[in-house]
Amino acid sequence: MRRMGPGEVAQLLAADGEPPILLDVREPWEFQICRIEGSLSIPMGQIPGALARLDPNREIVVICHHGIRSYQVARFLEQQGFTRTVNLDGGVAAWARDLDPAMPVY
């Protein structure tokens, strides 16, 4: 698993080629407050049953509030054979702080 800050993930999204999957593992109520545009919402507890919805050949940026749950999910995905996982260090809180100050925070 790679770890990237908000700026690095933004560069990854802006790069040519197939964009990564943005996998937001927060709870639905959190996702309703704020999210990175284009994110796929699958709460952490539902990940084991949702593996078929994810492409193990695509790069997957895992997102949560501060980066702790996403780190755990990225590690789990690695154990399931996903080799291109990225943890968004600092989560959506860091994204809002560093890149999108208009994003609601909680």
Side-chain angles (χ1 to χ4, degrees):
M1 164 195 6
R2 293 182 304 166
R3 297 171 57 182
M4 292 184 172
E8 294 168 296
V9 171
Q11 289 176 352
L12 188 63
L13 292 170
D16 290 335
E18 185 174 42
I21 295 169
L22 299 176
L23 175 60
D24 194 315
V25 299
R26 296 174 300 144
E27 294 300 314
W29 68 267
E30 294 174 287
F31 191 76
Q32 291 300 316
I33 294 171
C34 63
R35 67 190 148 284
I36 300 170
E37 188 66 36
S39 295
L40 170 64
S41 174
I42 305 175
M44 181 179 186
Q46 295 177 16
I47 293 294
L51 291 177
R53 295 177 56 191
L54 302 172
D55 182 349
N57 298 311
R58 294 254 322 260
E59 192 155 41
I60 300 175
V61 177
V62 189
I63 303 161
C64 71
H65 190 198
H66 290 291
I68 297 167
R69 287 175 283 178
S70 56
Y71 178 84
Q72 293 171 334
V73 170
R75 292 290 307 240
F76 174 77
L77 290 175
E78 281 186 325
Q79 293 168 354
Q80 305 308 307
F82 289 77
T83 59
R84 299 179 65 199
T85 59
V86 175
N87 182 49
L88 174 58
D89 279 346
V92 292
W95 185 276
R97 181 191 68 230
D98 297 351
L99 298 179
D100 188 359
M103 177 185 275
V105 293
Y106 62 101

